[in-house]
Amino acid sequence: MFTPRHSLQIDYRERAGTGPALVLLHGIGSNAESFAGLLPFLPADWRVIAWNAPGYLGSVPLEVEWPTAADYAQALAGFLDRLDLDRVTLAGHSLGALMATAYAVGHPDRVSRLVLASPALGHGIAQGATLSPAAQDRIDELARLGPQAFAKARAPRLVFRPQDNPDLVAAVEAGMAQVTSPGYAQASRMLASGRLLDDAARLAVPTDVIVGAEDAVTPPEGARRLHAALPAPFRGQLTQVPAAGHALATQAPFAFAQAMAAQITPVQ
């Protein structure tokens, strides 16, 4: 089980362990608890840490209205410093893939392996320009509907065959119903300006990509483009998880965890 913890401005969850450290970064409509289902399937000695990104749950929002992935990477660097983690395996899901990649580009000596799951490629909008319609719709819809109705409207799309998996949809909805502004609005702007393919081309750490075969939010084609953009010396495995949608850790925790465990040899 995860234990709730707090470090200065960052709220996080941790499963203690004497082995290597795995750090998990959640997506835009989620939080640290979305990774709880992975724990039974990960090696028992791994130290597993999942943060709540700035502006999510108990974590303090960033000071800039329109942050970039590098701003979240800077917050992550300070967080890992405070935990005395010099070298970790880093996994980012969806929007977390943008954050994780930015961190690995800036701190290649501190990442033993990078895993990008259901990666959001970003919209490539210049910082401060007019928001992409998709990003603006996210912000407006949360403000108009409120978190509960917002989550109810969006959660089913994250699960493959939602009509057959009401419990999974409910779990995704419960996490999404906890998003608030300004954290969500900041994350939406970061997504709008994100350029994951450009950042990935600058990586110098071994990198794997995982995606649900039925992901309607970040489809497998995007994951294949990302995998191809990785520098050849650091291009790891591309894993497509069958019968799984965007919420990989919720819908396919065993497959997700096993894919990571098979590909990762974390080093502290």
Side-chain angles (χ1 to χ4, degrees):
M1 291 180 60
F2 272 140
T3 299
R5 300 193 186 281
H6 199 84
S7 172
L8 196 57
Q9 295 183 320
I10 297 296
D11 181 62
Y12 68 104
R13 303 294 181 266
E14 179 174 3
R15 187 192 71 180
T18 58
L22 170 65
V23 176
L24 301 162
L25 310 182
H26 64 81
I28 192 169
S30 190
N31 58 59
E33 288 292 341
S34 66
F35 296 112
L38 297 177
L39 297 181
F41 307 115
L42 292 169
D45 66 327
W46 284 15
R47 183 183 180 188
V48 183
I49 295 162
W51 82 341
N52 285 310
Y56 283 73
L57 293 183
S59 295
V60 176
L62 297 172
E63 294 183 359
V64 58
E65 184 179 15
W66 188 322
T68 65
D71 292 311
Y72 288 92
Q74 182 177 358
L76 179 62
F79 171 63
L80 297 182
D81 283 346
R82 293 192 297 276
L83 296 188
D84 293 322
L85 290 172
D86 295 328
R87 193 162 169 83
V88 303
T89 291
L90 184 61
H93 176 258
S94 194
L95 188 79
L98 282 158
M99 302 174 189
T101 300
Y103 179 83
V105 166
H107 303 86
D109 57 322
R110 299 187 64 176
V111 179
S112 60
R113 196 163 194 95
L114 179 65
V115 178
L116 304 176
S118 310
L121 301 185
H123 306 158
I125 303 298
Q127 187 182 21
T130 301
L131 279 175
S132 54
Q136 189 63 60
D137 286 348
R138 286 178 178 276
I139 297 170
D140 293 345
E141 191 174 351
L142 178 60
R144 183 177 71 254
L145 298 178
Q148 297 289 338
F150 173 82
K152 190 173 186 64
R154 284 187 173 259
R157 191 162 179 255
L158 277 64
V159 175
F160 174 53
R161 297 187 64 87
Q163 68 278 12
D164 296 333
N165 296 285
D167 292 346
L168 301 184
V169 173
V172 172
E173 183 179 327
M176 193 178 292
Q178 297 181 75
V179 300
T180 57
S181 285
Y184 187 80
Q186 289 177 330
S188 297
R189 295 185 185 100
M190 188 272 270
L191 176 62
S193 59
R195 294 178 177 269
L196 184 57
L197 298 181
D198 292 347
D199 289 347
R202 299 189 290 138
L203 283 167
V205 301
T207 303
D208 299 306
V209 180
I210 305 174
V211 66
E214 308 297 338
D215 190 334
V217 178
T218 57
E221 174 56 28
R224 289 191 287 270
R225 291 175 61 199
L226 172 61
H227 187 253
L230 297 170
F234 304 105
R235 188 181 300 133
Q237 298 295 316
L238 171 61
T239 301
Q240 191 164 294
V241 182
H246 187 68
L248 268 183
T250 300
Q251 185 152 39
F254 177 77
F256 187 16
Q258 287 301 298
M260 289 198 297
Q263 297 164 15
I264 299 171
T265 304
V267 179
Q268 282 186 312

